[in-house]
Amino acid sequence: MPTKDDDRENSETTEQEPSVRPPRVLGDVDSATSDRASRWWWDHDAENYHDEHGAFLGTYTGGGDFVWCPEGVRESEAGLLGEIEDRTILEIGCGSAPCARWLAAHGAHAVGVDLSRRMLGIGLDAMEADEVRVPLIQATAETLPFADESFDTVCSAFGAIPFVADSAGVMAEVSRVLKPGGRWVFAVNHPMRWMFLDDPGPEGLTVRIPYFNRTPYTETDPSGQITYVEHHRTIGDRVRELRAAGFILDDIIEPEWPDDHDREWGQWSPFRGRYFPGTAIFCSHKPE
C-alpha cells in the first residue's frame, strides 16, 4: 500500500455535517474518480501485493483463509459473523477472495465482489484446487448488483470501504441487500491512524495530520491522473453512517498486537502496535 506523504497535513479540512446526518461525499474526489483510481491501482499492483501478503492472507491455501486484519485476527477464532453454515454471505472488496473461499469451505454459500479484474483473476486461479468454487463478480461496492434482501450476512476485511467516496452509500447498499436480522461486519484502518505517516518505526508515532481532516489522500501519475485514493472517516462518522443506513452497532473491536506476532505491513508493526490500534472492526446488524 502506498506511503502517505507530508502533503496531506497541509490540505484543507472540510466542514463537518450536523451529527444527525452522515458525512457528505467529498467533491474533490468523487465516486467515478475513486473507482477509476482503485481499479487501476489494484489491477497493476495485484502481483506485488500477493508476493508480499498472499501467504499471510491465505490466498494460496487450499480453501482459503479468513484473516480480518494485519494483527492476524481470524474468523475461525473470533466468530464475528456468527453461524455461517448454509448462510448466504457476501464479501465486499474481496480481492483474491481468500475470505469468501474460506466461508464456502466451511459450508456457507459465499459470493465475492471486487472492483479489480486482476485481483479476481488471482482468486479464480487460486480456486482451481478448491473443492467448492465461489462466484466472483466485478462490481463497485456503491452499486451492488443484487436484489433486495439477498444475503444473510455481509462482510468486508479491508475491502472497498476506505477506497470509496460515498461510504455512507455503501452502508445503505449493504442494508438493501441484507435480510432483516443479518450481520454486517467490516474491518478498516483504525481512524486514528490517519494522523500518522505510514512509518512502522518511531517516526510513525508523531502526529502529522488532524484527525478531523477528511480530505482524501491521493497519489497521481506524471500526467496528474489520480492513481490511488483513500478516504478518511472518523469513528463518529462510521457510527453515523451505520445508523443512517438503519443498522444497530453491536461492537467496535480494536485488536491488540499479539506478543508473538513480528510481521510488519506498511504502517502496522509490533513497535507501533504497542502504542495504539491499527484496525477497527465494526460489528452491526440489521433489525428484524
Side-chain angles (χ1 to χ4, degrees):
M1 190 171 290
T3 300
K4 303 181 185 74
D5 55 33
D6 289 339
D7 291 343
R8 196 173 50 151
E9 64 181 300
N10 298 317
S11 55
E12 296 180 357
T13 57
T14 60
E15 295 182 3
Q16 296 185 50
E17 295 288 324
S19 60
V20 296
R21 298 178 58 193
R24 70 184 179 90
V25 177
L26 295 169
D28 52 342
V29 183
D30 60 14
S31 294
T33 303
S34 291
D35 286 355
R36 183 169 56 250
S38 292
R39 185 180 295 108
W40 184 93
W41 177 265
W42 294 110
D43 279 349
H44 285 76
D45 193 58
E47 273 72 23
N48 291 334
Y49 180 83
H50 284 89
D51 286 346
E52 187 171 359
H53 306 300
F56 175 75
L57 295 174
T59 299
Y60 308 112
T61 300
D65 197 0
F66 199 130
V67 183
W68 279 106
C69 53
E71 290 87 350
V73 176
R74 281 175 162 77
E75 178 60 19
S76 59
E77 299 171 351
L80 302 182
L81 301 181
E83 183 63 42
I84 63 173
E85 189 171 2
D86 292 326
R87 300 295 199 274
T88 55
I89 302 179
L90 173 64
E91 183 188 3
I92 294 175
C94 67
S96 57
C99 298
R101 290 168 52 217
W102 182 89
L103 291 168
H106 288 78
H109 305 291
V111 178
V113 167
D114 198 271
L115 193 64
S116 168
R117 179 171 183 154
R118 185 63 196 121
M119 293 289 276
L120 293 174
I122 291 174
L124 288 172
D125 291 342
M127 265 196 287
E128 288 293 335
D130 291 353
E131 293 184 9
V132 182
R133 295 183 66 82
V134 175
L136 300 181
I137 299 170
Q138 186 179 17
T140 173
E142 293 182 42
T143 310
L144 296 173
F146 305 106
D148 297 354
E149 300 182 5
S150 296
F151 297 95
D152 298 306
T153 304
V154 183
C155 60
S156 184
F158 275 84
I161 305 301
F163 307 106
V164 298
D166 187 10
S167 53
V170 173
M171 304 297 167
E173 271 290 89
V174 171
S175 180
R176 181 184 65 79
V177 303
L178 188 63
K179 296 176 183 178
R183 297 193 190 192
W184 165 223
V185 182
F186 63 94
V188 294
N189 310 53
H190 196 289
M192 73 172 294
R193 284 289 178 104
W194 190 252
M195 300 185 293
F196 305 91
L197 299 181
D198 285 350
D199 187 329
E203 284 295 314
L205 299 182
T206 303
V207 173
R208 300 291 183 89
I209 304 141
Y211 175 74
F212 299 104
N213 183 344
R214 296 172 180 83
T215 303
Y217 168 77
T218 60
E219 294 187 1
T220 59
D221 63 18
S223 70
Q225 183 86 5
I226 294 177
T227 56
Y228 182 89
V229 61
E230 219 174 297
H231 297 268
H232 170 58
R233 298 290 183 266
T234 67
I235 285 282
D237 290 340
R238 292 291 181 218
V239 173
R240 285 186 289 274
E241 286 180 341
L242 286 166
R243 293 295 295 158
F247 287 104
I248 294 175
L249 180 64
D250 299 310
D251 198 2
I252 301 175
I253 297 170
E254 301 165 300
E256 296 186 38
W257 195 269
D259 292 336
D260 59 350
H261 188 34
D262 60 0
R263 177 184 176 83
E264 288 190 2
W265 182 334
Q267 59 180 286
W268 286 267
S269 68
F271 178 80
R272 276 169 55 126
R274 294 199 300 267
Y275 292 95
F276 50 81
T279 298
I281 306 175
F282 292 80
C283 304
S284 65
H285 72 276
K286 181 178 176 179
E288 295 278 1

